[in-house]
Amino acid sequence: MYSALDRSWTDQLSQKAIQKATELNLPLNPEIYEVLFVYFLGSHKSLNTAFDALTAQTSSPAARDLARLHQTHLSARSTAGRIDSIGESVRDQTTSIATAITTASTATAHYQHVLATAGHVLQLKSTSGSARFAIDKIIAWTEHISSTNALLVQQLQFAAERVAALQQQLDDVRKDAMTDPLTGVGNRKLFDLTLSRTLPRATEDEPLSLLLIDVNHFKDFNDTYGHAVGDDILRLIARTLQDSVREGELVCRVGGDEFATILPEQSLHDALAMGERISTQITQRKLYRRSTKQTIGRLSVSIGASEWNTGDTAETLFEKADHWMYAAKRASQTQAPPIDESAPSRQIRSPTALVWHDSYSCGHLTIDTQHRALFDLANKYLACGADGGDCDRIARSIVAAVTKHFASEEAVLRAHGYEELGAHIAEHTRLLAELKDRVCAVLAGQQPRDHLSDFIIQSVVLGHLMHDDRRFFAIVTQTSSHANGGPRPKHEKCASP
């Protein structure tokens, strides 16, 4: 599986690896092929340096030399050994530095003793012979200390260069240990470490968001075309994500077919916009079957986003993105996987629906009730059958419910003097207009159902109800009314997801 560009690129790398093996008269076993492919890929600096050094020493390296490179640089088991080796070298350099400093300190102590003795002799106004002896001794020890210091400088300079080289080796090992070998992006270990270091810097003014990206119907690709095609899919997703993020934003593979991006200083709206761009780029790529060059369809992904809020931990931030990612996957579950028509049909696992949580409540009875009702309607739409009749009815109900909710919410905010009411109403108007357009397009058969499902989840529920609305939670009165006008008990200020 490749887009035309990606397939051509990896085919070129394969050809270079095979040609190099032929030039070096090496057997093309899996280890040697992997070493040469990764070499031409250019993603493993330490391997490339070692390979260049090997071929500079001999024009006919043996198969065992390539096997040694594989064991040293590409085998996960070698990481601990590399770290131990670097540790031994660091200890050796530390011992050398300590020895040099001890030697210099001893020489300096002797020099100070000579200076003190000579000074005492000179103060006694001794004979010229005694003074000459003291001066000669000072000169001799000055030359000795100068020589010792020059040696110390040389030793320290060598040690500094060696330590710098060891630091580079350690950086290479650390990078290898935190890189997914299949895709070249970070692995789950790097993701967890980076998120734990980034999270404490998140504030209301400096947001932090996550994107989780999962490949739809990935198992079908593996079962139909084999794991080699599945690996190609994962590499394609990884490259697309890397091309989409900015400097300082991290892409990691956190599961089998699941990727994550850490987006410092990105709001939820920014993250959702990025997710939309990524989804569009991936969907637009045509996939080809390598053996026959036959077009086999297009990829699609499910993307979930979350933004840090006060009280969030790394676990809760990830869980929220994971929840919305599975909600998006459920929204697109009716979309057929892009496989051959001759392939047998399979039951696609249905992720859980949108789950309401008490922390989504803000304490105002009308707003909370309507938000909960919209969750229920969204779930009904996601779960409705493919016959279309029930789905059409629920879609119209969603439009009516959203229209009513927006009007009620605006009345509540107007009564509380909400300063951002104008912008909030403008966003309501935009969302409602797009919702109606999408419903009309789906009812007319001009767009698939997931065209509406994705919008309901990502823009209405996640983007607006769970993000925009949280801005007014703090000013909404913590009491609400029964239908008959009676007061309700106060609620705690809500925490949005």
Side-chain angles (χ1 to χ4, degrees), residues 466-483:
M466 298 290 99
H467 181 261
D468 293 346
D469 284 359
R470 69 185 288 263
R471 297 188 181 124
F472 66 68
F473 282 177
I475 64 98
V476 172
T477 304
Q478 308 256 332
T479 59
S480 55
S481 301
H482 288 292

Side-chain angles (χ1 to χ4, degrees), residues 121-131:
V121 171
L122 294 174
Q123 287 177 357
L124 294 176
K125 297 180 181 179
S126 57
T127 63
S128 59
S130 298

Side-chain angles (χ1 to χ4, degrees), residues 100 103-104 107 143-153 155:
T103 301
E143 292 175 349
H144 175 70
I145 200 70
S146 176
S147 176
T148 301
N149 284 343
L151 179 62
L152 174 62
V153 169
Q155 290 175 327

Side-chain angles (χ1 to χ4, degrees), residues 13-304:
L13 294 182
S14 297
Q15 292 170 6
K16 288 181 178 180
I18 294 171
Q19 181 179 357
K20 193 67 175 179
T22 303
E23 291 176 359
L24 298 177
N25 196 27
L26 292 169
L28 198 63
N29 60 40
E31 285 187 346
I32 291 177
Y33 175 79
E34 184 178 5
V35 169
L36 295 175
F37 186 92
V38 173
Y39 175 81
F40 288 110
L41 183 63
S43 62
H44 201 310
K45 181 179 178 181
S46 59
L47 171 67
N48 283 34
T49 301
F51 183 84
D52 289 339
L54 174 64
T55 53
Q57 293 172 359
T58 174
S59 59
S60 302
R64 63 177 178 274
D65 296 326
L66 275 292
R68 191 178 301 114
L69 289 182
H70 187 279
Q71 174 64 27
T72 302
H73 299 279
L74 297 180
S75 172
R77 292 174 297 177
S78 69
T79 300
R82 292 166 65 191
I83 293 175
D84 288 342
S85 176
I86 293 172
E88 285 293 332
S89 297
V90 169
R91 281 191 288 273
D92 291 344
Q93 292 306 311
T94 302
T95 300
S96 297
I97 293 172
T99 300
I101 292 175
T102 299
T103 301
S105 298
T106 301
T108 301
H110 281 295
Y111 188 45
Q112 290 175 338
H113 176 72
V114 169
L115 288 177
T117 303
H120 179 70
V121 171
L122 294 174
Q123 287 177 357
L124 294 176
K125 297 180 181 179
S126 57
T127 63
S128 59
S130 298
R132 183 71 244 175
F133 175 78
I135 292 171
D136 289 344
K137 198 167 187 179
I138 291 173
I139 293 173
W141 269 99
T142 299
E143 292 175 349
H144 175 70
I145 200 70
S146 176
S147 176
T148 301
N149 284 343
L151 179 62
L152 174 62
V153 169
Q154 183 179 3
Q155 290 175 327
L156 290 178
Q157 183 176 0
F158 175 79
E161 292 172 354
R162 181 60 182 154
V163 168
L166 292 172
Q167 180 63 51
Q168 182 61 54
Q169 293 179 37
L170 192 59
D171 289 343
D172 291 341
V173 171
R174 186 182 294 111
K175 180 179 179 181
D176 293 346
M178 293 190 178
T179 300
D180 175 51
L182 175 64
T183 62
V185 300
N187 59 16
R188 182 59 186 261
K189 182 177 181 180
L190 179 60
F191 173 82
D192 290 338
L193 178 63
T194 303
L195 185 58
S196 66
R197 290 177 175 176
T198 306
L199 201 63
R201 299 197 294 271
T203 65
E204 293 293 338
D205 296 327
E206 295 186 11
L208 171 68
S209 294
L210 291 184
L211 281 181
L212 288 186
I213 301 94
D214 185 89
V215 183
N216 293 332
H217 312 298
F218 182 71
K219 186 176 184 299
D220 290 273
F221 275 103
N222 270 339
D223 291 348
T224 305
Y225 300 116
H227 290 283
V229 170
D231 290 347
D232 292 337
I233 289 174
L234 297 178
R235 281 190 280 262
L236 172 61
I237 299 295
R239 290 187 61 200
T240 303
L241 294 177
Q242 286 183 303
D243 291 342
S244 300
V245 300
R246 306 178 304 185
E247 184 177 356
E249 298 173 345
L250 178 68
V251 175
C252 294
R253 182 184 176 199
V254 295
D257 60 339
E258 191 171 306
F259 294 82
T261 64
I262 299 176
L263 306 173
E265 301 181 5
Q266 292 266 40
S267 68
L268 182 61
H269 274 307
D270 295 333
L272 288 171
M274 175 183 288
E276 188 70 25
R277 292 192 298 271
I278 290 170
S279 179
T280 299
Q281 291 172 15
I282 291 172
T283 303
Q284 289 176 346
R285 289 177 179 261
K286 288 185 178 181
L287 310 182
Y288 298 89
R289 194 171 189 175
R290 182 193 295 271
S291 58
T292 63
K293 314 300 184 186
Q294 172 192 2
T295 300
I296 61 175
R298 297 179 187 271
L299 281 177
S300 67
V301 292
S302 296
I303 300 178

